[in-house]
Structures are given as C-alpha cells and as structure tokens.
Amino acid sequence: MSKVKYYYDSDTLAYRKIERKTGKTLLRVLRFLFAASLFALLFVFIAGRYIDSPEEKALRRELSNMQLQYNVLNKKMNEAEAVLANVEKRDNNIYRVYFEANPIPEEQRLAGFGGVNRYKKLEGYDNSKLIKNTSQRLDQLQKRIVVQSKSLDEIKIMAEDKEKLLAAIPAIQPVSNEELTRMASGYGYRSDPFTKVRKFHYGMDFTAPRGTPIYASGDGIVERADNKSSGYGNHIRIDHGYGYVSLYAHLYKYNIRKNQRVKRGDLIGFVGSTGRSEAPHLHYEVFKDGERINPINFYYGSLSAEEFNSMLESATLENESLD
C-alpha cells in the first residue's frame, strides 16, 4: 500500500492530502530517462575514447610490436647496407681494377624501380610511411646484392681465365742454364751462317749438346711435331691459346706427339741440328696473334735478375746466327 503524503495549509491551519498529478509525474519520469540516456551516452563516448576493450588492447600491443620489428629491421638493413657498400667499394677499386674490368657505376647499383607504383597497396594506413620506406629499402638492398653477386661471378670467371693465361704464356727458358753452353744469337738483325748476308733473325739460338732436354715454356696443345716446315728441320709448335704460339726447331727427336696437351716445364724433345742448322742448338720463337715477337721478354718465370741481364747483354750482340 502506497504511502499518503500531506502538507500543512497555513490558511486553513489544517493538513491537506497531497494529490499526485499525472502530467507532472510523467514529466519527471521523462526528465529522468533523458538524463539517464545522456549520462549513458557520455559514458559510452568517454569509455570508447579513453578506455580500450580487450580486443583493442590486443591490437595495440600487436601494432606496437610490429613497429618495434620494423625498427629492428631498419637497423639491420643499415648494417647490411654498410657491409655491402664496403664490398662494392672493394669490388670496384680492387677486384675489377686488378682484372682490368670496368667498375660498375653507382647509378646502376642504386637504380630504383620505375613504372607502376609497386607500393600503392601499402598506402592509407597509420604506419604506411614506415612500411613503405622499409619495403623500398629492402627491395633496393636485394637488387644491390644481385648486382654484386653477378659481379663476383664475373670476377671468378676472369680470375680463372687469368690463372689459365698466366700458365699459358711461354714464360720460361726452353733449355735450362745448367745444360746450356751459351746463348748464341738473339732476336734481331744477324749474319746468316751460310750466305753471310745480314738478315733478320726471328728467334733465339741456344747452343747445347745434342740430346739436351727441351722444355715446354707454357701450358698448351702441340699443334705440330714434324719436319715439314722449310729450314726448321724437326720442330714443334705449341698453341698456348690467347694468341700465343711457341716454336722449337732443329730437334734431334721428339718426346711428344701432335694434339698432346702439355704443361709448362714438360720435356717435349731434345736438341739436335736438323734442317738449316750449322751446329747443335735450339732455335726458339714466340708468336703473338700470328706475329713473331722477341722471346727474351718472356723469361721472367725461370731466370734471376742477374741471369736475365746477362742473357739480355748476349742477345743484343749482332753476331752470326746458327740457322
């Protein structure tokens, strides 16, 4: 049973019953509901703005972790770029210079990616700038690594080729000093032993007893081992590749055969006096790209400085050749 409320009427000096008016009651209810709704909306707004839900907290932690990972990745890329820049510098200034190859231009190493915007899908996010910058740096770093890798592959091939070249060049004296009587005649104008006419002598004559060993002056393949070339008698021609050919003439006998592969220092034959020869000796010639050149420039692999100077002095004398 609801309580009845009264109020004191000072005019009649009596208590009167308070009558509830329906309109006022309804208005009070509406005001309460409006105030409660307004408070609820305000609470939801403040809570939504300043208080994270468990899902939002998890997403914020994930985003923070992602930013941390990107920062760590950028630091690692800084280190990788520094190491790669050092390798690129040595590649251009040491390796490629040594093997006589042109340095790779910096714009070729650092070239970007033209055409379609490949990073468009990364735009429109809160951290788009960080993600886009990291992706661009990673792509460029990968391209620089590919360019450098190809350069090192090229250098490896050049190194192997240069090693073969150094082994192929006719770089030793074909008759050892221990068994050499003397260096009889050098490259240049000499007196012909038969006609006594001054003419150009295209090789070097090494005087030695018949049967003295003759050695290949560089790696190569025996191109000829016969006596079918006028004046040379029994002779050997070795194709060293790279345009080099060496010739050994007036041999007593062979120790190799045609098409045989030989190494520098291999025994290929023996000194004799066959063909147009006045006495036992080895006539030695070197060709480069089909042209005869002075063999004395190729003895760095077997002579000391003193021995080379002595040979140079003898080779410059304009005496009589032996063939």
Side-chain angles (χ1 to χ4, degrees):
M1 183 176 180
S2 61
K3 294 181 179 180
V4 180
K5 294 184 178 181
Y6 299 87
Y7 72 95
Y8 180 72
D9 190 347
S10 59
D11 293 332
T12 61
L13 301 177
Y15 286 96
R16 292 183 179 277
K17 184 179 178 181
I18 298 176
E19 299 291 340
R20 291 180 179 270
K21 294 182 179 180
T22 305
K24 288 185 177 181
T25 302
L26 182 60
L27 182 61
R28 287 176 181 173
V29 171
L30 291 174
R31 285 176 178 173
F32 174 78
L33 291 174
F34 176 75
S37 299
L38 185 63
F39 178 77
L41 287 173
L42 183 63
F43 177 79
V44 169
F45 174 77
I46 294 173
R49 190 172 181 85
Y50 299 103
I51 302 175
D52 291 336
S53 67
E55 292 80 6
E56 289 174 326
K57 288 181 179 179
L59 289 174
R60 286 186 184 278
R61 282 196 300 269
E62 186 176 344
L63 180 60
S64 177
N65 182 61
M66 183 197 72
Q67 290 174 326
L68 177 62
Q69 293 298 325
Y70 269 98
N71 288 330
V72 170
L73 179 60
N74 274 289
K75 289 181 180 178
K76 289 183 177 180
M77 282 197 292
N78 287 337
E79 296 172 358
E81 285 171 345
V83 173
L84 182 57
N86 184 43
V87 174
E88 290 171 341
K89 183 177 179 181
R90 285 186 292 168
D91 182 45
N92 274 350
N93 299 326
I94 299 176
Y95 308 143
R96 300 187 71 83
V97 170
Y98 178 77
F99 293 108
E100 300 175 354
N102 292 327
I104 298 175
E106 186 175 1
E107 55 269 21
Q108 182 178 338
R109 293 182 184 273
L110 301 178
F113 301 88
V116 180
N117 182 5
R118 57 194 292 132
Y119 307 106
K120 188 175 182 179
K121 63 182 180 181
L122 302 177
E123 297 174 352
Y125 301 99
D126 291 340
N127 294 283
S128 289
K129 186 176 180 180
L130 173 64
I131 299 171
K132 185 177 178 181
N133 179 62
T134 303
S135 298
Q136 286 175 327
R137 291 184 65 193
L138 186 58
D139 287 342
Q140 193 174 69
L141 185 62
Q142 288 176 331
K143 181 177 180 182
R144 288 171 64 188
I145 291 173
V146 169
V147 172
Q148 184 57 52
S149 177
K150 289 182 178 179
S151 176
L152 292 176
D153 289 341
E154 183 183 353
I155 287 172
K156 180 176 180 290
I157 294 172
M158 288 188 291
E160 291 173 349
D161 198 50
K162 190 150 191 170
E163 185 178 358
K164 292 177 182 177
L165 169 62
L166 293 175
I169 292 176
I172 65 170
Q173 188 173 289
V175 178
S176 66
N177 275 340
E178 291 77 10
E179 302 184 74
L180 182 66
T181 304
R182 65 188 177 96
M183 209 291 295
S185 183
Y187 182 90
Y189 281 98
R190 300 291 184 268
S191 176
D192 185 280
F194 299 101
T195 65
K196 309 302 179 184
V197 175
R198 185 172 180 265
K199 70 176 186 179
F200 203 91
H201 186 244
Y202 287 100
M204 298 185 73
D205 292 340
F206 296 92
T207 303
R210 182 184 181 196
T212 299
I214 300 171
Y215 305 100
S217 55
D219 294 3
I221 297 175
V222 178
E223 185 178 59
R224 292 182 64 173
D226 56 50
N227 60 359
K228 298 177 182 179
S229 189
S230 178
Y232 288 129
N234 296 333
H235 76 290
I236 294 170
R237 296 179 194 240
I238 298 177
D239 185 354
H240 302 281
Y242 308 96
Y244 289 100
V245 173
S246 59
L247 182 148
Y248 314 77
H250 311 305
L251 274 61
Y252 163 58
K253 62 179 179 180
Y254 311 108
N255 194 54
I256 45 80
R257 62 185 181 278
K258 184 179 177 180
N259 297 326
Q260 181 177 334
R261 183 175 294 277
V262 295
K263 293 287 187 181
R264 178 183 292 149
D266 284 354
L267 176 63
I268 60 173
F270 302 90
V271 171
S273 186
T274 58
R276 194 174 184 274
S277 172
E278 189 180 56
H281 73 287
L282 170 68
H283 176 81
Y284 176 66
E285 295 182 12
V286 173
F287 296 76
K288 178 67 172 74
D289 298 325
E291 299 291 331
R292 293 182 177 96
I293 55 178
N294 195 341
I296 201 168
N297 298 320
F298 295 89
Y299 296 139
Y300 58 83
S302 60
L303 301 180
S304 65
E306 293 77 12
E307 289 172 334
F308 182 79
N309 287 332
S310 176
M311 174 177 284
L312 185 61
E313 184 178 347
S314 299
T316 56
L317 295 176
E318 191 171 331
N319 54 10
E320 186 175 273
S321 66
L322 295 177
D323 49 32

